[in-house]
């Protein structure tokens, strides 16, 4: 009995797979597919298996479909000129059956993954399910979230402007961040920006960059950013751990944090709610953005970089890791956008605090009144560095 002709693209794919892997593409089908008898010169597969034992790439004819009788060839005749390009072989492939290859991972013998259903996808093959989650959920909703946050920040800035001091500066400086704290923060911040920019271009660049710069330049750019992303990732991971241990003590929950959250910190009313060294909003960014989402992004990113030991980097595992990584990264970036805004143009004196380490006494009193009270009471020194660039004193020092 003659089988329907297999399209040319399948023939090309079969030839390519056989050539690259010198593959033994045994497909262990759960149910044998009827086939024409194999020619005597060809080694037959064991009972219950489809596919072929091995094949020299030079014996495969990529132009076999030009034969006038190609469409009417039987599977046995087809296997003479294009082994593996026959109906039983492709029936097995479409079932997600895993065969055997000479390559290191058993999964490499599987051309099409089995059926799964991820949250947000239909019941389909794993590769297609991952594509549906990425294209239908992560990309549109992740991109929309970032745009909404950016628009909200822009509207807030246009309506309120930069948060300024209500009283005159005294000239007396308080050390807010030591040199080590600033170094840890800046290393982590620079790594984060590099990862965020490269990740945004790789995920969304085809929508806003590709039409502008063209496919050639966009291809080179994304290739460079992909490598930058892979190599900066471990640096971000190490610096994130340092940041967590450096700032965790002052980010522990404290009395007054709930009141701060309920009143939104006083950003809308113009009267700030008293807080300690870090207010409740900064603590939310620390615990949600730095600690929770940060560690998820780092863990999944190291997996995607293939830097974790004792795990299998199969397609299915990499697909799940990517979905987790992209989702956590989008949420992390949305949180950090607000933090970056308030730390730069959103609040006068905030950027200088991280740049120089010092704030004016008026700034401390207005934005972190409880922290300022502890300094005035002598519970916290106004100068914490051993070798200060400003005069040291138990009270706020004169500049």
């Amino acid at each position: 009995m003659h089988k329907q002709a297999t399209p040319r693209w399948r023939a090309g794919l079969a030839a390519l797979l056989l050539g690259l892997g010198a593959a033994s593409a045994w497909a262990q089908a759960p149910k044998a597919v009827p086939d024409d008898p194999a020619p005597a010169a060809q080694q037959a597969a064991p009972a219950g298996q489809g596919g072929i034992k091995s094949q020299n790439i030079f014996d495969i004819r990529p132009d076999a479909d030009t034969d006038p009788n190609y469409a009417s060839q039987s599977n046995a005749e087809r296997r003479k000129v294009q082994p593996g390009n026959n109906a039983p072989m492709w029936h097995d492939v479409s079932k997600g059956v895993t065969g055997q290859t000479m390559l290191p991972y058993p999964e490499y013998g599987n051309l099409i993954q089995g059926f799964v259903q991820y949250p947000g996808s239909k019941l389909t093959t794993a590769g297609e399910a991952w594509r549906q989650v990425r294209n239908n959920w992560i990309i549109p909703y992740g991109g929309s979230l970032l745009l909404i946050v950016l628009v909200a920040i822009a509207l807030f800035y246009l309506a309120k402007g930069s948060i300024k001091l209500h009283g005159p500066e005294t000239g007396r400086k308080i050390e807010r961040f030591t040199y080590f704290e600033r170094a840890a923060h800046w290393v982590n911040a620079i790594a984060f920006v590099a990862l965020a920019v490269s990740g945004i271009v790789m995920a969304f660049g085809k929508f806003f960059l590709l039409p502008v710069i063209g496919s050639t330049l966009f291809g080179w750019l994304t290739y460079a950013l992909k490598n930058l992303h892979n190599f900066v990732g471990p640096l971000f991971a190490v610096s994130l751990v340092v940041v967590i241990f450096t700032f965790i003590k002052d980010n522990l929950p404290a009395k007054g944090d709930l009141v701060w959250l309920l009143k939104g910190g006083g950003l809308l009313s113009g009267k700030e709610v008293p807080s300690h060294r870090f207010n409740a909003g900064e603590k939310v960014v620390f615990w949600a953005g730095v600690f929770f989402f940060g560690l998820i992004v780092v863990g999944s990113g190291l997996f995607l970089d293939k830097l974790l030991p004792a795990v299998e980097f199969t397609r299915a595992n990499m697909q799940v890791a990517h979905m987790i990584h992209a989702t956590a990264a989008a949420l992390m970036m949305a949180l950090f956008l607000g933090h970056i805004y308030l730390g730069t143009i959103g609040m006068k004196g905030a950027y200088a605090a991280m740049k120089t380490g010092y704030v004016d006494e008026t700034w401390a009193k207005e934005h972190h009144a409880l922290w300022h009270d502890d300094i005035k009471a002598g519970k916290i020194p106004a100068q914490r560095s051993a070798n200060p660039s400003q005069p040291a004193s138990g009270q706020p020092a004169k500049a």
Side-chain angles (χ1 to χ4, degrees):
M1 182 175 66
H2 294 90
K3 306 285 184 181
Q4 185 176 356
T6 307
R8 183 183 299 189
W9 70 267
R10 289 184 175 177
L13 179 59
L16 179 61
L17 290 172
L18 290 166
L20 291 176
S24 304
W26 288 98
Q28 306 215 0
K31 181 178 179 180
V33 180
D35 191 13
D36 294 334
Q42 182 172 339
Q43 184 176 355
Q49 292 185 343
I52 53 177
K53 175 74 174 179
S54 63
Q55 182 65 35
N56 190 323
I57 185 64
F58 296 106
D59 295 336
I60 296 175
R61 289 180 50 196
D63 59 342
D65 60 339
T66 60
D67 190 317
N69 299 320
Y70 181 80
S72 60
Q73 287 177 348
S74 67
N75 287 316
E77 292 170 332
R78 181 72 51 78
R79 284 200 287 194
K80 293 179 181 179
V81 291
Q82 289 187 330
N85 185 27
N86 52 69
M89 171 71 175
W90 289 105
H91 280 312
D92 290 343
V93 168
S94 64
K95 293 176 183 177
V97 175
T98 299
Q100 301 171 355
T101 71
M102 298 170 63
L103 296 172
Y105 293 116
E107 192 222 13
Y108 284 175
N110 184 280
L111 297 181
I112 298 178
Q113 294 173 272
F115 277 63
V116 298
Q117 185 171 13
Y118 296 131
S121 78
K122 298 178 180 178
L123 178 62
T124 181
T125 57
E128 172 61 16
W130 165 81
R131 191 192 70 85
Q132 290 178 7
V133 173
R134 180 190 184 274
N135 293 352
N136 298 339
W137 292 94
I138 296 175
I139 295 299
Y141 289 100
S144 298
L145 174 63
L146 296 178
L147 285 176
I148 290 171
V149 173
L150 285 173
V151 170
I153 290 174
L155 292 175
F156 183 83
Y157 180 76
L158 291 174
K160 305 289 290 186
S162 179
I163 301 174
K164 298 179 175 60
L165 295 177
H166 295 92
E169 294 187 355
T170 65
R172 294 187 293 271
K173 300 295 183 179
I174 296 175
E175 187 179 27
R176 180 158 175 79
F177 300 109
T178 66
Y179 178 82
F180 178 82
E181 290 171 339
R182 286 182 286 131
H185 174 273
W186 281 115
V187 170
N188 187 250
I190 292 171
F192 170 79
V193 171
L195 292 172
V197 171
S198 56
I200 287 173
V201 171
M202 287 188 290
F204 309 106
K206 68 177 182 179
F207 302 111
F208 66 91
L209 266 183
L210 178 59
V212 177
I213 65 178
S215 59
T216 301
L217 182 56
F218 180 74
W220 281 104
L221 177 64
T222 51
Y223 178 78
L225 290 178
K226 168 190 166 296
N227 285 283
L228 175 71
H229 199 92
N230 291 342
F231 282 100
V232 173
L235 172 63
F236 176 77
V238 174
S239 63
L240 185 80
V241 174
V242 174
V243 166
I244 289 174
F245 281 101
T246 300
F247 294 105
I248 191 170
K249 179 181 177 181
D250 289 324
N251 278 283
L252 295 174
K255 183 179 180 181
D257 287 344
L258 183 58
V259 175
W260 194 99
L261 291 173
L262 293 175
K263 294 186 177 181
L267 290 178
L268 298 179
S269 65
K271 185 178 180 181
E272 290 198 41
V273 180
S275 63
H276 291 276
R277 186 186 179 204
F278 297 121
N279 59 46
E282 291 170 311
K283 291 179 180 180
V284 169
V285 171
F286 177 85
W287 288 107
V290 177
F291 187 84
F292 183 71
F293 290 129
L295 292 180
I296 291 176
V297 167
V298 164
S300 57
L302 292 177
F303 187 94
L304 292 171
D305 267 349
K306 297 185 177 181
L307 296 177
L308 297 182
V311 292
E312 286 191 343
F313 301 108
T314 61
R315 281 175 292 176
N317 290 342
M318 297 292 272
Q319 287 159 358
V320 172
H322 171 267
M323 291 185 288
I324 294 173
H325 186 78
T327 302
L331 295 170
M332 184 183 187
M333 285 189 288
L335 276 172
F336 280 6
L337 282 173
H339 174 71
I340 293 171
Y341 164 72
L342 290 173
T344 52
I345 63 173
M347 178 180 291
K348 183 180 178 181
Y351 176 75
M354 187 53 70
K355 180 182 178 181
T356 68
Y358 291 88
V359 296
D360 190 84
E361 184 181 14
T362 301
W363 189 96
K365 186 176 182 179
E366 288 195 13
H367 298 307
H368 298 273
L370 300 180
W371 176 58
H372 176 261
D373 290 343
D374 287 341
I375 292 174
K376 293 285 287 185
K379 297 179 181 179
I380 302 174
Q383 179 67 55
R384 296 185 295 129
S385 296
N387 298 309
S389 59
Q390 301 285 342
S393 172
Q395 300 293 328
K398 289 188 179 294

